């Protein structure tokens, strides 16, 4: 009920208030026509509208129609020149002052904030689950409610896990909680999850290192798109946190001294495609929090210059 009434996430990023003034021109014909010719017509009409102003054309939200004749030729006309007529629709859509004149629109917007709308906000990485905000509350009742809301969201979100952005958020939420009971919703079961016997720390590290090699050992960061890189990053650290639960050890510091995870993080740090890296930043900053960094420093574990630079960029 809470999720239905108030939703699950809230943006803590930058919110932009103001207005949006949209001028659009579309062209259509009753028969197949050359896209290039239609683009020329719409460009010509749009430029003409800028010269004299849309309001001179009596254009409003309902649109205004006009007609343009043009010569068309191509395979759809058997390479013969045909004279056709295109229907041109001019339309204005505004979020803000209810007027079609752009100058008056801007003037009203700057002098009267009652016309302001929320027109933009930071991207999806700025959205925080409400239960994370509630977790910081001093009231134990609020903290318990936060856990129930998180559980309810995971159950609802699982129904939409075929949508990449929702699946990524499911992974992020489960990764952040490090709660092995939540992992059963989606994550593939690795052989380490069936380990019941007590084994040595070194054997546990070797086991997870082998699994990581099969998961990320041959991964090509440069060739991957942003979603593939994000999913692979999430998958790698999920494996590690599954192992922590299965073996009863915190294996991450030791794995950071092994070749597979070091090479993977280095490949991310060397990637020069900033937009692709930005999706992984939220995961990396959550993993490499102050507590882990202090532990690595105490144990004299170096991340290397490239990975250290990556962490600084992510912050």
């Amino acid at each position: 009920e809470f999720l239905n009434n108030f939703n699950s996430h809230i943006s803590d990023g930058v919110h932009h208030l103001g207005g949006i003034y949209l001028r659009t021109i579309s062209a259509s014909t009753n028969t197949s026509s050359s896209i290039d010719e239609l683009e020329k017509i719409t460009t010509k009409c749009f430029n003409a509208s800028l010269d004299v102003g849309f309001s001179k054309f009596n254009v409003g939200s309902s649109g205004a129609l006009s007609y343009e004749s043009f010569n068309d030729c191509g395979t759809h006309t058997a390479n013969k020149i045909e004279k056709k007529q295109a229907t041109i629709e001019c339309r204005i859509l505004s979020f803000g002052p209810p007027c079609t004149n752009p100058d008056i629109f801007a003037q009203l917007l700057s002098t009267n904030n009652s016309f302001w709308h929320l027109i933009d906000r930071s991207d999806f990485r700025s959205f925080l689950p409400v239960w994370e905000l509630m977790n910081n509350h001093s009231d134990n009742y609020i903290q318990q409610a936060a856990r129930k809301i998180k559980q309810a969201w995971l159950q609802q979100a699982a129904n939409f896990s075929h949508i990449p952005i929702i699946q990524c958020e499911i992974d992020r939420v489960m990764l952040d909680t490090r709660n092995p009971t939540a992992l059963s919703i989606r994550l593939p079961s690795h052989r380490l999850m069936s380990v019941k016997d007590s084994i040595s720390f070194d054997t546990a590290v070797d086991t997870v290192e082998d699994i990581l090699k099969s998961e990320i050992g041959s991964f090509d960061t440069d060739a991957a798109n942003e979603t593939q890189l994000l999913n692979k990053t999430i998958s790698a650290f999920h494996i590690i946190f599954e192992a922590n639960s299965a073996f009863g050890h915190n294996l991450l510091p030791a794995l950071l001294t092994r070749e597979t995870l070091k090479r993977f993080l280095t490949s991310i740090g060397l990637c020069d495609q900033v937009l692709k890296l930005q999706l992984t930043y939220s995961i990396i900053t959550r993993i490499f929090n102050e507590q882990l960094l202090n532990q690595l420093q105490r144990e004299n574990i170096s991340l290397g210059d490239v990975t250290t630079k990556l962490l600084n960029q992510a912050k």
Side-chain angles (χ1 to χ4, degrees), residues 172-189:
R172 189 200 66 77
V173 169
M174 292 193 295
L175 182 61
D176 188 53
T177 60
R178 305 185 187 183
N179 180 1
T181 60
L183 299 177
S184 60
I185 292 181
R186 171 185 178 269
L187 292 178
S189 178

Side-chain angles (χ1 to χ4, degrees), residues 27-29 38 41-42 44-45 48 66-71 83-88:
S28 61
T29 56
L38 293 179
I41 294 172
T42 54
K44 173 185 173 183
C45 293
S66 61
Y67 301 93
E68 287 281 338
S69 297
F70 67 99
N71 293 326
K83 194 169 188 63
K84 296 184 177 181
Q85 188 177 66
T87 301
I88 311 300

Side-chain angles (χ1 to χ4, degrees), residues 37-260:
E37 292 298 328
L38 293 179
E39 285 182 347
K40 291 178 183 178
I41 294 172
T42 54
T43 300
K44 173 185 173 183
C45 293
F46 191 82
N47 291 336
S49 69
L50 292 179
D51 291 337
V52 300
F54 260 49
S55 56
K56 299 282 185 65
F57 281 89
N58 193 29
V59 180
S61 59
S62 59
L65 296 179
S66 61
Y67 301 93
E68 287 281 338
S69 297
F70 67 99
N71 293 326
D72 194 18
C73 182
T75 55
H76 53 285
T77 64
N79 293 320
K80 297 179 180 179
I81 298 177
E82 291 186 4
K83 194 169 188 63
K84 296 184 177 181
Q85 188 177 66
T87 301
I88 311 300
E89 182 177 14
C90 303
R91 184 182 296 271
I92 289 178
L93 179 63
S94 64
F95 298 91
C99 65
T100 59
N101 184 291
D103 296 327
I104 297 177
F105 179 90
Q107 183 178 1
L108 290 174
L109 198 63
S110 62
T111 57
N112 191 338
N113 60 14
S114 66
F115 291 122
W116 290 0
H117 291 254
L118 175 61
I119 59 174
D120 193 21
R121 61 178 54 149
S122 299
D123 63 25
F124 74 91
R125 289 171 298 151
S126 71
F127 281 80
L128 292 176
V130 292
W131 57 84
E132 291 187 5
L133 301 177
M134 297 167 66
N135 277 334
N136 298 325
H137 202 281
S138 58
D139 191 326
N140 185 56
Y141 175 80
I142 300 297
Q143 295 176 8
Q144 291 180 3
R147 288 192 288 271
K148 292 184 179 297
I149 292 172
K150 178 179 66 179
Q151 184 179 9
W153 181 84
L154 284 169
Q155 292 172 348
Q156 287 186 5
N159 297 325
F160 303 93
S161 60
H162 59 283
I163 302 174
I165 192 172
I166 294 180
Q167 182 58 69
C168 287
E169 179 62 2
I170 291 174
D171 290 338
R172 189 200 66 77
V173 169
M174 292 193 295
L175 182 61
D176 188 53
T177 60
R178 305 185 187 183
N179 180 1
T181 60
L183 299 177
S184 60
I185 292 181
R186 171 185 178 269
L187 292 178
S189 178
H190 297 285
R191 55 192 175 96
L192 57 86
M193 293 301 290
S194 63
V195 174
K196 301 298 182 183
D197 300 329
S198 176
I199 63 175
S200 70
F201 180 84
D202 289 340
T203 302
V205 174
D206 290 339
T207 301
V208 180
E209 172 72 4
D210 289 340
I211 295 175
L212 288 175
K213 283 181 180 178
S214 64
E215 180 70 19
I216 61 175
S218 59
F219 182 72
D220 189 340
T221 301
D222 292 328
N225 61 37
E226 55 188 23
T227 302
Q228 291 170 333
L229 177 59
L230 177 63
N231 287 339
K232 191 62 69 171
T233 303
I234 290 172
S235 177
F237 286 106
H238 263 314
I239 292 171
I240 296 172
F241 291 130
E242 285 180 358
N244 290 348
S245 299
F247 293 125
H249 300 294
N250 181 11
L251 306 176
L252 180 55
L255 289 166
L256 286 168
T257 67
R258 298 295 185 93
E259 193 65 26
T260 303

Side-chain angles (χ1 to χ4, degrees), residues 254-273:
L255 289 166
L256 286 168
T257 67
R258 298 295 185 93
E259 193 65 26
T260 303
L261 193 55
K262 285 175 61 177
R263 188 189 302 116
F264 179 65
L265 291 172
T266 299
S267 71
I268 297 176
L270 291 174
C271 180
D272 59 0
Q273 302 176 49

